[in-house]
Amino acid sequence: NKYSFPQTPACYYSASSSTTQQSTPWKRLLQQKSVVLEPKSTADLKDAISEFEKFINSNSGSGGCVLIGVCRGKISEGIDFADNKCRAVIITGIPYAPFLDAKVKLKREYLDQAKASSCVKPSGEGGFGEGSMDNKQKKKNQVSSSFRGKPAPTTLSGAEWYTQQAHRAVNQAVGRVIR
C-alpha cells in the first residue's frame, strides 16, 4: 500500500485491468466505499452523521465510508472526527468567497481604502514634513487618517484579506484530521 492510511480505496491505485480503466474514479469509489453527503439543512446534519458513523463502525466488510462536504460548511468546521472517523481530507480547489458578494466587496474596499489612507501622511507643508503645523492641525490630520473611526490597518489589503480567508477555510477543513 503506497498510501499512508490503510482505508484508501483501490480506485486510487494505478489500474492495470481494462475494466478498471474504463470506469471512472467515482464509480470505482462507489464499489469500495459507502458515501454520505453533507446535507444542506442543519436539521438533517444529525441524521447524516449518524449514517456516517453507522458505516464506519460496521464490521460487515463495507470498506468504510466517505463523507463529502464543502469548505466553510457544517462538516468542515466545528465537528470533531476522532480516531477512525477521519483518516484523510481531500481539498479540491481553494474555497474563495464569492468575489462579487456585497459583504466581501465592502470588506475588500474598506481594507483597500484604509491601507491607502494609512500610507498617506498629511502635512502642513505640501507633503514635505510636519514643519510649522500647530497641535490642532496635527490632531485633525491624525483623525482624518483613520477610516470610520477605527485605526487603519497597515498590513492587509483587500486582495490579501480575500486570499487569507480562503486559506483559513482550507486550514480549518484540514484540521479535521489532526484532532
Side-chain angles (χ1 to χ4, degrees):
N1 188 347
K2 67 181 185 177
Y3 296 97
S4 62
F5 50 100
Q7 292 83 8
T8 303
C11 68
Y12 291 108
Y13 299 142
S14 58
S16 58
S17 71
S18 61
T19 58
T20 306
Q21 289 178 346
Q22 292 174 356
S23 67
T24 65
W26 179 251
K27 288 179 183 177
R28 293 193 310 265
L29 176 68
L30 291 175
Q31 291 171 353
Q32 298 285 323
K33 303 266 184 198
S34 301
V35 176
V36 175
L37 298 175
E38 175 183 21
K40 290 183 180 180
S41 168
T42 305
D44 298 331
L45 181 62
K46 187 175 181 179
D47 293 337
I49 296 296
S50 296
E51 184 178 358
F52 172 71
E53 289 176 347
K54 178 184 78 174
F55 285 120
I56 293 295
N57 295 329
S58 75
N59 293 327
S60 63
S62 69
C65 186
V66 175
L67 180 61
I68 298 177
V70 296
C71 286
R72 294 190 179 99
K74 296 170 253 348
I75 290 174
S76 69
E77 298 181 11
I79 297 177
D80 189 22
F81 294 104
D83 302 325
N84 281 336
K85 290 183 184 172
C86 187
R87 289 294 176 200
V89 172
I90 299 171
I91 306 284
T92 57
I94 304 292
Y96 288 103
F99 191 76
L100 298 177
D101 179 72
K103 290 179 182 178
V104 172
K105 189 175 177 183
L106 283 171
K107 178 74 172 191
R108 284 191 340 262
E109 289 172 358
Y110 166 77
L111 290 172
D112 286 341
Q113 187 173 2
K115 184 166 184 155
S117 68
S118 71
C119 294
V120 176
K121 295 185 179 177
S123 75
E125 295 184 4
F128 297 105
E130 293 186 18
S132 63
M133 240 196 285
D134 62 2
N135 285 338
K136 187 176 182 181
Q137 182 65 30
K138 287 180 187 178
K139 190 172 187 176
K140 180 181 174 188
N141 286 340
Q142 287 174 349
V143 171
S144 68
S145 70
S146 63
F147 185 74
R148 293 187 187 174
K150 297 179 182 178
T154 57
T155 57
L156 280 181
S157 68
E160 292 166 335
W161 168 82
Y162 185 69
T163 301
Q164 182 188 62
Q165 293 305 304
H167 290 122
R168 282 184 177 175
V170 168
N171 289 339
Q172 182 72 28
V174 171
R176 303 294 96 201
V177 232
I178 295 172
R179 295 181 195 193

